């Protein structure tokens, strides 16, 4: 989901929600479905948060909007966060709630004004595969409005399989980690067939790793159940929620499974109602096409980069560079990495000068900093979720056809997003069907979406909006990039989200926010 190699989202699994409020003791009544969370043994015991080592810092899954250089100084210079952390034990398999338990790492940024506190705000910054433990502190450092911080204890957590929670592995080699989540650009059917061998190998490694026992249970639906365990452990009858990128799908699944336990639900940079399935992965090709004209206009307006004097010339330069780097990489940057680097930088408006400088260097045969290797746990947990949530096509010929179609439809990225991933060879075992996002439940969902989002394109968000029906309202902002609140610059969209979180006021109809001048 939300970097090029860190961008991933997910599809979840369904069941009928049963509303069971937490009692004064924090124990939740038991029923016969996994959604009626069983007894929570202890309340959360807060203490200092663990320090990160260097590798965990790389693994932190920030929303790409957080990588805007304009936003980095506040984060780095912020006062030490008031975060507290705790560990919650949850069932590995909610069908056997008294069976094997796993750990979920939880954080809290407590409201400083008890007189204004109205509840808790669970958060998720995206993924799947990304840590959310530091996200409340990051939101505060990014100057999320004080009224929001006063209104809620802001809760972060590492989802099951991730980071400080019980982690999963696929025993990925350094070379596999360098390859990241994107398959190489498939120019031909033979390219897809070659990549199938790599996909099969990685799927086998995941299925035979030392954490293979977690494989069938590392899903978005179970993460939603873990969230409800967090709610119960906090002693809250309902929770509000803010999630971005893949976090939008996680929130949609939670409020579908637990509608009566959902308070104010904000979904930012939205996936389609199927989550990160094969359809959504292919949609990234459209996201690239939606967003690239913004960069083409920027580069054409800055002749000092030498990338073209018109947007059409800049687009032509993209294909020229990709073809040249496919034939002769520059310091390890081949055509696939060039495409991915471009896609990555398009997430953030403030990175356009950096992207133009990268293009300029590669055009002259000079090296650019390569993307850092992706931490093994991030890649492994990403695969566990997206492959466990939904079934992907299993025939190589299906991906050969998809790649051929998408190379024509979305030529900038379609040869990647149409190609094959390890999900094609995932073990058949599924403990439940996917969650069906629908319109049953309270009208308490606010979706917020950039019009030109490369990572979660508007086309997918519109499908989710349609699925929610009268449960939701959607705010669209006439701007590009991935992530709206609070990192984007559109005051209309940001103010609408703040008003909903603090007062419950939501637009009576879907709202289109006009473009605003850059500050």
């Amino acid at each position: 989901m939300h970097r090029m190699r860190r961008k991933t989202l997910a599809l979840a699994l369904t069941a009928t929600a049963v509303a069971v409020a937490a009692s004064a003791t924090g124990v939740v009544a038991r029923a016969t479905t996994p959604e009626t969370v069983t007894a929570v043994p202890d309340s959360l015991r807060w203490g200092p948060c663990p320090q990160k080592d260097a590798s965990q810092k790389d693994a932190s899954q920030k929303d790409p909007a957080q990588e805007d250089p304009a936003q980095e100084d506040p984060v780095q210079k912020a006062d030490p966060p008031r975060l507290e952390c705790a560990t919650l034990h949850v069932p590995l398999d909610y069908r056997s709630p008294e069976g094997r338990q796993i750990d979920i790492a939880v954080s809290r940024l407590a409201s400083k004004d008890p007189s204004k506190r109205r509840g808790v705000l669970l958060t998720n910054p995206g993924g799947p595969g990304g840590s959310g433990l530091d996200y409340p502190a990051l939101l505060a450092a990014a100057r999320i409005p004080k009224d929001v911080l006063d209104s809620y204890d802001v809760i972060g957590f590492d989802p099951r399989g991730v980071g400080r929670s019980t982690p999963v592995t696929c025993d990925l080699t350094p070379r596999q980690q360098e390859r990241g989540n994107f398959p190489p650009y498939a120019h031909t059917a033979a390219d897809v067939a070659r990549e199938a061998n790599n996909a099969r190998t990685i799927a086998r490694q995941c299925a035979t790793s030392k954490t293979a026992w977690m494989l069938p249970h590392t899903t978005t639906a179970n993460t939603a159940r873990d969230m409800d365990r967090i709610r119960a452990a906090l002693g809250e009858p309902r929770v509000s929620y803010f999630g971005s990128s893949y976090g939008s799908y996680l929130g949609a699944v939670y409020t579908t499974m637990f509608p009566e336990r959902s308070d104010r639900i904000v979904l930012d940079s939205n996936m389609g109602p199927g989550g990160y399935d094969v359809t959504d992965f292919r949609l990234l090709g459209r996201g690239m096409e939606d967003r690239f004209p913004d960069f083409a206009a920027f580069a054409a307006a800055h002749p000092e980069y030498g990338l073209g004097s018109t947007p059409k010339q800049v687009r032509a330069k993209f294909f020229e560079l990709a073809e040249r780097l496919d034939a002769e990489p520059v310091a390890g940057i081949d055509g696939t990495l060039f495409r991915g680097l471009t896609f990555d930088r398009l997430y953030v408006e403030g990175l356009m000068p950096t992207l133009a400088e990268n293009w300029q260097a590669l055009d002259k045969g000079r090296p650019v900093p390569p993307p850092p290797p992706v931490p093994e746990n991030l890649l492994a947990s990403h695969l566990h979720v997206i492959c466990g949530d939904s079934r992907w096509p299993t025939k190589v010929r299906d991906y050969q056809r998809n790649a051929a179609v998408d190379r024509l439809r979305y030529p900038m990225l379609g040869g990647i997003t149409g190609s094959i991933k390890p999900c094609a060879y995932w073990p058949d075992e599924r403990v439940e069907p996917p969650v069906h996002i629908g319109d049953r439940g309270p009208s308490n969902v606010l979706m917020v979406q950039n019009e030109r989002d490369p990572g979660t394109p508007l086309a997918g968000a519109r499908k989710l909006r349609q699925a929610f029906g009268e449960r939701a309202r959607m705010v669209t902002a006439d701007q590009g990039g991935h992530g709206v609140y609070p990192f984007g610059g559109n005051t209309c969209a940001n103010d609408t989200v703040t008003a909903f979180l603090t007062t419950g006021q939501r637009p009576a109809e879907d709202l289109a926010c006009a473009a605003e001048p850059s500050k």
Side-chain angles (χ1 to χ4, degrees), residues 19 37 89 118 132 154 156 176 183 227 276-277 280 284 290 316-318 350 368 390 413 507:
V37 178
H89 305 299
R118 64 174 307 274
V154 184
Q176 289 169 332
M227 289 167 55
Y276 200 104
D277 57 5
D280 189 82
L284 297 181
D290 288 347
K317 176 62 72 174
F318 172 88
V368 300
S390 64
L413 208 64

Side-chain angles (χ1 to χ4, degrees), residues 428-480:
D428 286 337
E429 181 182 1
R430 300 290 194 281
V431 298
E432 55 186 332
V435 168
H436 173 73
I437 308 298
D439 59 0
R440 299 185 64 180
S443 185
N444 62 348
V445 178
L446 180 66
M447 300 170 57
V448 59
Q449 177 74 31
N450 286 334
E451 289 186 6
R452 299 177 302 282
D453 186 327
T456 51
L458 180 60
R462 284 173 170 160
K463 290 181 180 178
L464 180 63
R465 171 67 183 88
Q466 183 179 21
F468 269 129
E470 285 303 306
R471 288 205 65 188
R473 297 290 182 269
M474 185 162 77
V475 178
T476 53
D478 184 359
Q479 62 185 6

Side-chain angles (χ1 to χ4, degrees), residues 185-186 278-286 289 315 319 398-419:
Y185 195 95
V278 65
T279 299
D280 189 82
F281 184 55
R282 293 179 68 186
L283 195 60
L284 297 181
R286 174 166 178 173
E289 301 286 345
R315 183 177 173 89
F319 292 106
D398 291 330
Y399 296 95
Q400 290 172 326
R401 180 175 59 250
N402 291 348
V405 169
D406 291 355
R407 281 196 304 271
L408 294 175
R409 184 183 294 166
Y410 311 125
M412 304 186 86
L413 208 64
I416 291 174
T417 57
S419 193

Side-chain angles (χ1 to χ4, degrees), residues 196-388:
N197 294 326
N198 293 318
R200 184 184 294 107
T201 297
I202 291 174
R204 185 184 305 116
Q205 288 174 209
C206 296
T208 58
S209 77
K210 63 184 178 182
T211 61
W213 52 275
M214 291 184 66
L215 201 75
H217 308 291
T218 308
T219 63
T220 302
N222 277 332
T223 298
R225 294 179 178 113
D226 297 340
M227 289 167 55
D228 206 56
R229 279 279 177 128
I230 295 171
R231 173 201 61 78
L234 292 168
E236 298 286 340
R238 295 192 300 167
V239 292
S240 294
Y241 177 82
F242 171 68
S244 183
S245 197
Y246 163 73
S248 71
Y249 181 63
L250 176 59
V253 168
Y254 180 83
T255 197
T256 296
M257 296 172 66
F258 303 99
E260 301 307 323
R261 299 176 194 168
S262 304
D263 191 7
R264 298 170 184 174
I265 307 298
V266 177
L267 309 180
D268 186 330
S269 305
N270 297 268
M271 307 194 68
Y276 200 104
D277 57 5
V278 65
T279 299
D280 189 82
F281 184 55
R282 293 179 68 186
L283 195 60
L284 297 181
R286 174 166 178 173
M288 179 81 152
E289 301 286 345
D290 288 347
R291 174 62 166 153
F292 186 79
D294 291 340
F295 174 71
F298 169 84
H302 292 80
E304 64 269 24
Y305 294 117
L307 304 178
S309 58
T310 67
K312 184 176 180 180
Q313 290 176 351
V314 176
R315 183 177 173 89
K317 176 62 72 174
F318 172 88
F319 292 106
E320 175 195 331
L321 280 171
E323 183 177 0
R324 194 193 314 167
L325 292 166
D326 275 332
E328 188 175 349
V330 172
I333 303 295
D334 61 11
T336 292
L337 278 179
F338 168 72
R339 293 173 175 92
L341 180 148
T342 300
F343 180 74
D344 177 39
R345 299 294 187 262
L346 292 177
Y347 273 40
V348 181
E349 196 74 20
L351 291 180
M352 285 193 177
T354 300
L355 178 58
E357 291 168 3
N358 291 160
W359 277 35
Q360 184 183 49
L362 291 169
D363 192 34
K364 297 180 181 299
R366 299 198 306 264
V368 300
V374 182
E376 200 275 345
N377 174 247
L378 193 156
L379 289 171
S381 53
H382 157 64
L383 289 173
H384 277 63
V385 173
I386 71 166
C387 303

Side-chain angles (χ1 to χ4, degrees), residues 446 448-450 475-477 479 484-485 490-498 511 513 516:
L446 180 66
V448 59
Q449 177 74 31
N450 286 334
V475 178
T476 53
Q479 62 185 6
V484 180
Y485 185 83
N490 191 284
T491 304
C492 164
N494 287 340
D495 288 352
T496 302
V497 175
T498 296
L511 174 65
C513 290
E516 297 178 6

Side-chain angles (χ1 to χ4, degrees), residues 83-135:
L83 274 185
E84 306 166 281
C85 286
T87 299
L88 181 66
H89 305 299
V90 303
L92 170 69
D93 184 350
Y94 278 90
R95 299 170 303 173
S96 303
E98 307 301 331
R100 189 168 189 171
Q101 305 289 296
I102 59 173
D103 292 342
I104 302 297
V106 185
S107 63
R108 177 177 69 175
L109 186 66
S111 167
K112 286 186 173 181
D113 191 340
S115 67
K116 294 182 179 179
R117 182 190 180 279
R118 64 174 307 274
V120 299
L121 180 69
L122 263 65
T123 62
N124 181 276
S131 169
L133 207 61
D134 292 342
Y135 196 45

